[in-house]
Amino acid sequence: MELLSSIFSRDNVLFLLAGMRTTIVIAASTILIALFFGTILGLVRNYDHGILGKLSAVYIETFRNTPLILWILAIRFLVPIPAFYSGILSMSVFTTAIMAEVVRGGLNSINKGQFEAAYSQGFGFFQTLRFIIIPQCFKNIVPSLLSQMITTVKDTSFLWAVAIEEFTGKGMILMGRFASSTQVFILFAFMAGMYFIINFTLSSIVRRQNTKGQNLKKPVLVEA
Amino acid sequence: MNSSPFSLDKWGRLFVSWQTFAEGFLTTLVIAVLALALALLLGIVFGMFSSSHLRGLKGVSRVYVEFIQNIPLVIQIFFLYNGLPLVGIMLDKFTIGVLGIGVYTGAYISEVVRAGIQSIPVGQMEAAKSQGFTHVQAMRYIILPQTVKIVLPPLTNQAVNLIKNTSVLAMIAGGDLMYRADSWASSQLLYGPAYVTTGLLYFVLCFPLATWARNYEQRLKSHDVQSAVLLQKSKKVFWGSLPELSKKGAA
């Protein structure tokens, strides 16, 4: 009991909670920013056959084939903004590319006949996208979006590499003050447990969505 | 001119230290290959577990997948690096890389393998058993060979993720490409060229794999409608989506 109160003293708990808040704020901002720009990028890559389509393909492939930690370090040292914003920026530019591919997966799952049907009813290209294609696309990609959220929450822990004190960072700082191995192991279990609770909740929703999806016409395969 | 982070003399200084980058690249490559071997082994075993009918095996596999997939890789690596030595288990950083990243990717591959096995109609297993195959034999000779084609693209994507994830070792000074590049960059205060070079080196490893996976999947869909249809589960879905699949293949 004494051991537990030495680890989870009021100060320590507040310290860790502050880290969790940073983690959640960065993850949530990243997901929102990435979803917005990822949708644009995915649409452009899929439907523009000119220079814009090529540029978004280059963007997507560049970020998909290089590690996140590289962008975290590069943006931290090359872009002169505060650490916290540099964290959001690097996570966002990277996750945007992943989101773009998720959105593209959704777009490709929609039958081309939908376009033809909409055109025959007098819809223009953008109207078709706005009212017919995008709503169906987002409905199909809910499971992939949720798994991307899990990945993003986990990815925030890379930010400790540039000393942004998110949950992992705070935990490791606290761990440095502990001497006994029992304290260290309990803290590790606590950190892992907190991430687990958040992500397991999300992944349970994914599973429910997936089983529901089997009744749909075409399930979208999730790639982590 | 010289104040630019990408000026020419800075590239020159990087070129002189090319060995640092070459060593890092090689370390990353070796760790990635060994970790992939471990991940494949774990993935196939646990993937078979989770598609078996024994509740115990299913449970073991489920626990493995959920624990590993829902906890950040960074925490798992820190645990191997900072936690285990306290109980007398000292692993060198290379081993931590192979073990940590292999076990992590294994959980993802296990899910890929499970999806592959479940895409093979149950009749195949029943037919094999009626011919006297044991469960393991049927898996080995009938089921797994058929899944190879279907699981190759997602498997390759996991290999790409694995290569990218080796960069986590930079956080424990692991001697991989990311670590060497970063420590070189901060010792020389030359960030621009170092990061561009590092990015390119990761890109040459990942891009061919990712592109191959995409093209292979496309080919699979267009020329082999049947195997794509196997991914669908029920007969109703089969008829519902057949025209759509062929149309998509043509696009």
Side-chain angles (χ1 to χ4, degrees):
Chain A
M1 213 50 220
E2 213 172 285
L3 184 76
L4 279 182
S5 58
S6 75
I7 302 170
F8 299 108
S9 69
R10 201 183 120 79
D11 284 351
N12 288 354
V13 169
L14 287 178
F15 187 72
L16 288 170
L17 278 183
M20 185 44 90
R21 203 184 55 202
T22 312
T23 289
I24 290 173
V25 170
I26 293 183
S29 329
T30 300
I31 287 162
L32 290 177
I33 297 172
L35 188 58
F36 179 75
F37 289 107
T39 306
I40 297 177
L41 224 58
L43 285 169
V44 171
R45 184 174 184 186
N46 234 23
Y47 298 123
D48 184 279
H49 300 294
I51 183 79
L52 283 179
K54 292 222 168 55
L55 281 178
S56 35
V58 169
Y59 181 94
I60 293 169
E61 294 306 327
T62 305
F63 284 93
R64 273 189 60 207
N65 291 301
T66 43
L68 169 60
I69 207 165
L70 172 73
W71 299 103
I72 291 176
L73 292 167
I75 289 181
R76 182 73 191 101
F77 292 121
L78 292 172
V79 184
I81 50 175
F84 177 77
Y85 296 105
S86 144
I88 294 184
L89 178 64
S90 46
M91 294 273 304
S92 299
V93 289
F94 181 84
T95 312
T96 294
I98 317 282
M99 282 293 191
E101 283 301 277
V102 170
V103 170
R104 245 161 55 87
L107 294 172
N108 287 335
S109 72
I110 294 164
N111 196 331
K112 292 246 160 27
Q114 299 268 341
F115 267 106
E116 288 152 21
Y119 289 156
S120 79
Q121 298 305 307
F123 280 77
F125 176 71
F126 287 103
Q127 280 178 318
T128 312
L129 281 186
R130 165 74 185 78
F131 295 105
I132 314 282
I133 306 296
I134 291 178
Q136 295 185 70
C137 162
F138 275 105
K139 211 173 107 189
N140 286 353
I141 60 175
V142 169
S144 320
L145 283 182
L146 285 165
S147 13
Q148 188 50 43
M149 280 185 200
I150 297 177
T151 308
T152 306
V153 170
K154 290 194 293 177
D155 280 350
T156 52
S157 58
F158 284 121
L159 293 173
W160 177 230
V162 291
I164 294 175
E165 294 179 13
E166 37 62 75
F167 188 61
T168 303
K170 293 277 191 197
M172 295 312 284
I173 294 172
L174 201 58
M175 200 175 284
R177 299 180 197 150
F178 292 156
S180 92
S181 53
T182 324
Q183 282 176 317
V184 169
F185 280 107
I186 291 177
L187 186 56
F188 259 124
F190 178 73
M191 287 159 72
M194 288 295 276
Y195 280 110
F196 185 85
I197 290 170
I198 297 177
N199 291 331
F200 185 75
T201 312
L202 287 169
S203 78
S204 303
I205 305 175
V206 176
R207 251 192 313 279
R208 246 206 5 242
Q209 287 283 341
N210 272 341
T211 31
K212 255 204 297 191
Q214 277 169 12
N215 306 323
L216 290 174
K217 210 171 61 180
K218 188 161 166 58
V220 177
L221 285 180
V222 182
E223 275 161 24
Chain B
M1 172 73 190
N2 274 347
S3 61
S4 150
F6 296 101
S7 68
L8 207 59
D9 73 304
K10 290 176 178 168
W11 283 99
R13 277 160 69 191
L14 182 134
F15 192 71
V16 174
S17 327
W18 67 273
Q19 267 181 323
T20 310
F21 288 82
E23 278 167 24
F25 185 73
L26 205 67
T27 312
T28 288
L29 198 63
V30 174
I31 291 178
V33 169
L34 293 178
L36 184 63
L38 176 62
L40 278 173
L41 185 73
L42 290 171
I44 292 174
V45 169
F46 283 98
M48 277 166 60
F49 279 5
S50 61
S51 45
S52 84
H53 291 294
L54 297 170
R55 290 185 82 112
L57 291 182
K58 251 187 170 151
V60 168
S61 169
R62 179 80 188 277
V63 168
Y64 168 60
V65 169
E66 292 295 340
F67 263 91
I68 297 293
Q69 285 196 354
N70 289 322
I71 296 170
L73 176 60
V74 178
I75 302 261
Q76 298 179 32
I77 296 287
F78 280 171
F79 179 74
L80 295 178
Y81 184 63
N82 296 321
L84 286 188
L86 296 175
V87 287
I89 303 174
M90 302 283 267
L91 301 171
D92 60 280
K93 288 163 184 173
F94 184 86
T95 316
I96 290 179
V98 173
L99 198 68
I101 296 162
V103 169
Y104 183 79
T105 314
Y108 285 92
I109 293 187
S110 155
E111 286 294 277
V112 169
V113 170
R114 180 182 61 84
I117 292 175
Q118 286 178 350
S119 73
I120 306 294
V122 203
Q124 297 271 343
M125 179 58 93
E126 288 162 3
K129 283 192 174 160
S130 78
Q131 298 304 306
F133 282 78
T134 65
H135 187 84
V136 174
Q137 281 175 329
M139 273 288 173
R140 164 73 186 79
Y141 295 105
I142 313 287
I143 309 292
L144 286 180
Q146 293 186 75
T147 63
V148 169
K149 206 159 70 170
I150 296 167
V151 300
L152 262 180
L155 216 53
T156 313
N157 286 329
Q158 288 308 327
V160 172
N161 283 339
L162 182 145
I163 294 171
K164 293 195 288 177
N165 279 333
T166 56
S167 62
V168 74
L169 292 176
M171 293 177 81
I172 59 164
D176 66 312
L177 174 59
M178 192 68 246
Y179 171 69
R180 303 227 182 178
D182 187 51
S183 55
W184 185 85
S186 37
S187 69
Q188 309 275 321
L189 289 174
L190 286 182
Y191 295 104
Y195 290 145
V196 171
T197 309
T198 312
L200 280 175
L201 288 173
Y202 279 109
F203 192 83
V204 268
L205 283 182
C206 297
F207 182 68
L209 286 173
T211 310
W212 179 84
R214 188 200 306 274
N215 292 340
Y216 187 88
E217 202 173 3
Q218 281 298 324
R219 260 205 325 254
L220 209 67
K221 276 175 185 161
S222 53
H223 294 304
D224 204 340
V225 176
Q226 204 194 350
S227 72
V229 166
L230 286 179
L231 284 169
Q232 320 285 331
K233 286 220 173 90
S234 70
K235 207 152 192 170
K236 205 172 103 203
V237 172
F238 177 96
W239 293 115
S241 57
L242 190 55
E244 196 175 309
L245 278 167
S246 47
K247 191 157 222 161
K248 200 168 147 193

